[in-house]
Amino acid sequence: MTTKMVSGSQEGIVKAVRSELWKYGRKIIESGLVVGPGGNISARAGNVMYISPSGYAFDDVEPEDYVGVDISSGDLVDVNENKKPSSEVLMHLACYRARQDVGAVVHIHPAYGIAVASTIGRLEAMFPDFAAYVGKVGMLGYVVPSSAELAEAVERKIVDYNAILMSNHGAVTVGANLKEAFYRAVILEEGAKIFVLSKILGEPRVFSEEDVEEIRNLGAEKYRTQLLKQSRQA
Ligand SMILES: [Zn+2]
């Protein structure tokens, strides 16, 4: 997304970012990753982060309702009709400040992810997509939502992980763009669901470090080719 943005005008870039946010907000609702007005998402447009407005469900906002916040200063720079940024604005800013490669942040309240984070406190890869796209999951104990303390805790973790599970709260995923951050969120929740189901049936076999490395070393493209080959042989 960032590369595309350089060539267009700032206005066009912002319009594109707002429309992507609107699209992925709806996808998050459709995927059941939040209920009601829970969760928030953001995307980077140069030095500005566009974030969902506070107090609205994703299917209750229009593209222009996403609030522009200067990443360095935290000042509101592009606001429609007195909308306020999500209460987790500090947590989102922390992700962009910690990593230049982060182009989007997704924060959700997924049922299985919260259950695993609040009981077992760890989630490992059990299937190839998880190993390839999510990898290791950072775990955080309970910290009061919307607090500066939570933003600091996320900032420390996000340096090493693309996905974080927070006890008694939810998950944060980051990506180069919204598509990547969203896929990570979906696969993370699928992983938590599979882990919970496996726990009901017995002791789950999770991937070893070697299993994960092997899949990651295949590279995304190689990995897809391999899967296609396998399905043709089957
Ligand atoms: Zn939350």
Side-chain angles (χ1 to χ4, degrees):
M1 186 186 283
T2 320
T3 3
K4 254 192 216 159
M5 288 196 292
V6 184
S7 55
S9 70
Q10 185 63 21
E11 206 181 321
I13 294 159
V14 170
K15 206 176 166 204
V17 166
R18 285 181 179 285
S19 108
E20 282 275 289
L21 284 160
W22 183 83
K23 179 171 121 186
Y24 280 96
R26 285 175 177 254
K27 278 178 181 278
I28 286 171
I29 295 249
E30 285 160 16
S31 310
L33 297 172
V34 296
V35 288
N40 31 75
I41 55 173
S42 65
R44 191 200 285 269
N47 301 321
V48 177
M49 157 190 94
Y50 283 82
I51 185 166
S52 37
S54 177
Y56 292 86
F58 286 122
D59 54 1
D60 213 17
V61 293
E62 296 304 324
E64 58 270 24
D65 293 330
Y66 284 84
V67 178
V69 185
D70 185 277
I71 291 172
S72 317
S73 67
D75 293 339
L76 304 189
V77 291
D78 189 359
V79 186
N80 180 43
E81 290 175 356
N82 299 324
K83 292 277 186 309
K84 290 196 178 85
S86 155
S87 59
E88 293 291 6
V89 62
L90 295 177
M91 186 174 81
H92 285 254
L93 285 172
C95 296
Y96 297 104
R97 288 171 182 167
R99 282 176 49 181
Q100 278 305 310
D101 64 314
V102 169
V105 179
V106 167
H107 168 52
I108 50 169
H109 298 157
Y112 290 95
I114 296 173
V116 169
S118 314
T119 51
I120 303 217
R122 64 182 163 77
L123 180 63
E124 284 141 309
M126 287 182 68
F127 58 100
D129 275 358
F130 195 107
Y133 298 114
V134 176
K136 286 190 177 178
V137 180
M139 303 300 299
L140 278 182
Y142 178 68
V143 183
V144 178
S146 310
S147 63
E149 196 190 348
L150 179 60
E152 282 160 25
V154 167
E155 187 163 3
R156 281 193 296 271
K157 277 280 174 204
I158 209 69
V159 177
D160 298 316
Y161 301 93
N162 290 316
I164 297 174
L165 274 176
M166 307 182 290
S167 181
N168 306 85
H169 183 175
V172 179
T173 57
V174 297
N177 50 41
L178 275 164
K179 189 176 190 176
E180 189 171 52
F182 170 72
Y183 278 161
R184 283 185 172 140
V186 174
I187 295 168
L188 179 71
E189 178 62 351
E190 187 71 4
K193 187 176 177 180
I194 288 169
F195 183 72
V196 169
L197 292 173
S198 305
K199 267 278 181 197
I200 293 169
L201 298 174
E203 198 44 43
R205 178 194 179 272
V206 298
F207 277 168
S208 64
E209 295 258 340
E210 292 76 39
D211 294 332
V212 173
E213 272 311 297
E214 200 175 16
I215 287 163
R216 292 184 81 90
N217 287 342
L218 289 172
E221 207 167 329
K222 242 183 172 178
Y223 166 62
R224 275 193 297 270
T225 324
Q226 192 97 342
L227 281 188
L228 279 175
K229 267 188 206 155
Q230 279 168 2
S231 58
R232 271 193 212 119
Q233 281 161 2

PDB file of all heavy atoms in Angstrom, residues 26-34 182 186 189:
ATOM      1  N   ARG A  26     -15.868  -4.023   7.851  1.00  0.00           N
ATOM      2  CA  ARG A  26     -17.022  -4.882   7.567  1.00  0.00           C
ATOM      3  C   ARG A  26     -16.628  -6.354   7.515  1.00  0.00           C
ATOM      4  O   ARG A  26     -17.361  -7.215   7.987  1.00  0.00           O
ATOM      5  CB  ARG A  26     -17.689  -4.451   6.261  1.00  0.00           C
ATOM      6  CG  ARG A  26     -18.447  -3.181   6.535  1.00  0.00           C
ATOM      7  CD  ARG A  26     -19.090  -2.515   5.359  1.00  0.00           C
ATOM      8  NE  ARG A  26     -19.793  -1.376   5.896  1.00  0.00           N
ATOM      9  CZ  ARG A  26     -21.106  -1.292   6.035  1.00  0.00           C
ATOM     10  NH1 ARG A  26     -21.877  -2.263   5.649  1.00  0.00           N
ATOM     11  NH2 ARG A  26     -21.652  -0.225   6.568  1.00  0.00           N
ATOM     12  N   LYS A  27     -15.466  -6.632   6.962  1.00  0.00           N
ATOM     13  CA  LYS A  27     -14.993  -8.023   6.908  1.00  0.00           C
ATOM     14  C   LYS A  27     -14.796  -8.569   8.323  1.00  0.00           C
ATOM     15  O   LYS A  27     -15.049  -9.741   8.590  1.00  0.00           O
ATOM     16  CB  LYS A  27     -13.661  -8.110   6.158  1.00  0.00           C
ATOM     17  CG  LYS A  27     -13.810  -8.139   4.642  1.00  0.00           C
ATOM     18  CD  LYS A  27     -12.429  -8.167   4.007  1.00  0.00           C
ATOM     19  CE  LYS A  27     -12.488  -8.181   2.495  1.00  0.00           C
ATOM     20  NZ  LYS A  27     -12.731  -9.529   1.951  1.00  0.00           N
ATOM     21  N   ILE A  28     -14.331  -7.724   9.225  1.00  0.00           N
ATOM     22  CA  ILE A  28     -14.106  -8.157  10.617  1.00  0.00           C
ATOM     23  C   ILE A  28     -15.437  -8.535  11.272  1.00  0.00           C
ATOM     24  O   ILE A  28     -15.548  -9.554  11.939  1.00  0.00           O
ATOM     25  CB  ILE A  28     -13.365  -7.050  11.416  1.00  0.00           C
ATOM     26  CG1 ILE A  28     -11.898  -7.023  10.972  1.00  0.00           C
ATOM     27  CG2 ILE A  28     -13.463  -7.281  12.926  1.00  0.00           C
ATOM     28  CD1 ILE A  28     -11.104  -5.857  11.493  1.00  0.00           C
ATOM     29  N   ILE A  29     -16.458  -7.728  11.020  1.00  0.00           N
ATOM     30  CA  ILE A  29     -17.789  -8.041  11.558  1.00  0.00           C
ATOM     31  C   ILE A  29     -18.290  -9.360  10.964  1.00  0.00           C
ATOM     32  O   ILE A  29     -18.722 -10.252  11.677  1.00  0.00           O
ATOM     33  CB  ILE A  29     -18.799  -6.922  11.208  1.00  0.00           C
ATOM     34  CG1 ILE A  29     -18.406  -5.627  11.907  1.00  0.00           C
ATOM     35  CG2 ILE A  29     -20.231  -7.369  11.493  1.00  0.00           C
ATOM     36  CD1 ILE A  29     -19.331  -5.174  12.999  1.00  0.00           C
ATOM     37  N   GLU A  30     -18.173  -9.474   9.624  1.00  0.00           N
ATOM     38  CA  GLU A  30     -18.654 -10.684   8.930  1.00  0.00           C
ATOM     39  C   GLU A  30     -17.932 -11.937   9.421  1.00  0.00           C
ATOM     40  O   GLU A  30     -18.501 -13.020   9.456  1.00  0.00           O
ATOM     41  CB  GLU A  30     -18.449 -10.558   7.412  1.00  0.00           C
ATOM     42  CG  GLU A  30     -19.441  -9.620   6.749  1.00  0.00           C
ATOM     43  CD  GLU A  30     -18.945  -9.123   5.388  1.00  0.00           C
ATOM     44  OE1 GLU A  30     -18.005  -9.716   4.822  1.00  0.00           O
ATOM     45  OE2 GLU A  30     -19.519  -8.113   4.903  1.00  0.00           O
ATOM     46  N   SER A  31     -16.661 -11.788   9.800  1.00  0.00           N
ATOM     47  CA  SER A  31     -15.880 -12.941  10.249  1.00  0.00           C
ATOM     48  C   SER A  31     -16.139 -13.258  11.716  1.00  0.00           C
ATOM     49  O   SER A  31     -15.541 -14.200  12.251  1.00  0.00           O
ATOM     50  CB  SER A  31     -14.385 -12.679  10.049  1.00  0.00           C
ATOM     51  OG  SER A  31     -14.142 -12.241   8.744  1.00  0.00           O
ATOM     52  N   GLY A  32     -16.960 -12.468  12.396  1.00  0.00           N
ATOM     53  CA  GLY A  32     -17.290 -12.737  13.801  1.00  0.00           C
ATOM     54  C   GLY A  32     -16.139 -12.478  14.761  1.00  0.00           C
ATOM     55  O   GLY A  32     -16.093 -13.044  15.854  1.00  0.00           O
ATOM     56  N   LEU A  33     -15.197 -11.629  14.359  1.00  0.00           N
ATOM     57  CA  LEU A  33     -14.028 -11.384  15.217  1.00  0.00           C
ATOM     58  C   LEU A  33     -14.301 -10.345  16.300  1.00  0.00           C
ATOM     59  O   LEU A  33     -13.483 -10.147  17.201  1.00  0.00           O
ATOM     60  CB  LEU A  33     -12.828 -10.943  14.360  1.00  0.00           C
ATOM     61  CG  LEU A  33     -12.333 -11.998  13.353  1.00  0.00           C
ATOM     62  CD1 LEU A  33     -11.290 -11.420  12.428  1.00  0.00           C
ATOM     63  CD2 LEU A  33     -11.776 -13.216  14.079  1.00  0.00           C
ATOM     64  N   VAL A  34     -15.417  -9.646  16.197  1.00  0.00           N
ATOM     65  CA  VAL A  34     -15.851  -8.712  17.250  1.00  0.00           C
ATOM     66  C   VAL A  34     -17.374  -8.825  17.352  1.00  0.00           C
ATOM     67  O   VAL A  34     -18.033  -9.314  16.447  1.00  0.00           O
ATOM     68  CB  VAL A  34     -15.508  -7.227  16.937  1.00  0.00           C
ATOM     69  CG1 VAL A  34     -14.018  -7.001  16.878  1.00  0.00           C
ATOM     70  CG2 VAL A  34     -16.174  -6.758  15.655  1.00  0.00           C
ATOM     71  N   PHE A 182      -5.420  -8.218   8.625  1.00  0.00           N
ATOM     72  CA  PHE A 182      -6.711  -8.904   8.732  1.00  0.00           C
ATOM     73  C   PHE A 182      -6.538 -10.420   8.612  1.00  0.00           C
ATOM     74  O   PHE A 182      -7.079 -11.186   9.416  1.00  0.00           O
ATOM     75  CB  PHE A 182      -7.677  -8.382   7.659  1.00  0.00           C
ATOM     76  CG  PHE A 182      -8.943  -9.181   7.544  1.00  0.00           C
ATOM     77  CD1 PHE A 182      -9.916  -9.098   8.530  1.00  0.00           C
ATOM     78  CD2 PHE A 182      -9.164 -10.019   6.456  1.00  0.00           C
ATOM     79  CE1 PHE A 182     -11.098  -9.846   8.438  1.00  0.00           C
ATOM     80  CE2 PHE A 182     -10.341 -10.765   6.357  1.00  0.00           C
ATOM     81  CZ  PHE A 182     -11.305 -10.678   7.342  1.00  0.00           C
ATOM     82  N   VAL A 186      -7.588 -13.343  11.312  1.00  0.00           N
ATOM     83  CA  VAL A 186      -8.478 -14.471  11.017  1.00  0.00           C
ATOM     84  C   VAL A 186      -7.773 -15.795  11.315  1.00  0.00           C
ATOM     85  O   VAL A 186      -8.342 -16.695  11.934  1.00  0.00           O
ATOM     86  CB  VAL A 186      -8.927 -14.431   9.530  1.00  0.00           C
ATOM     87  CG1 VAL A 186      -9.721 -15.671   9.162  1.00  0.00           C
ATOM     88  CG2 VAL A 186      -9.761 -13.189   9.261  1.00  0.00           C
ATOM     89  N   GLU A 189      -7.318 -16.437  15.078  1.00  0.00           N
ATOM     90  CA  GLU A 189      -8.534 -16.933  15.728  1.00  0.00           C
ATOM     91  C   GLU A 189      -8.834 -18.369  15.327  1.00  0.00           C
ATOM     92  O   GLU A 189      -9.267 -19.171  16.146  1.00  0.00           O
ATOM     93  CB  GLU A 189      -9.714 -16.006  15.412  1.00  0.00           C
ATOM     94  CG  GLU A 189     -11.049 -16.453  15.987  1.00  0.00           C
ATOM     95  CD  GLU A 189     -11.115 -16.538  17.516  1.00  0.00           C
ATOM     96  OE1 GLU A 189     -10.077 -16.411  18.177  1.00  0.00           O
ATOM     97  OE2 GLU A 189     -12.223 -16.752  18.046  1.00  0.00           O
TER      98      GLU A 189
END
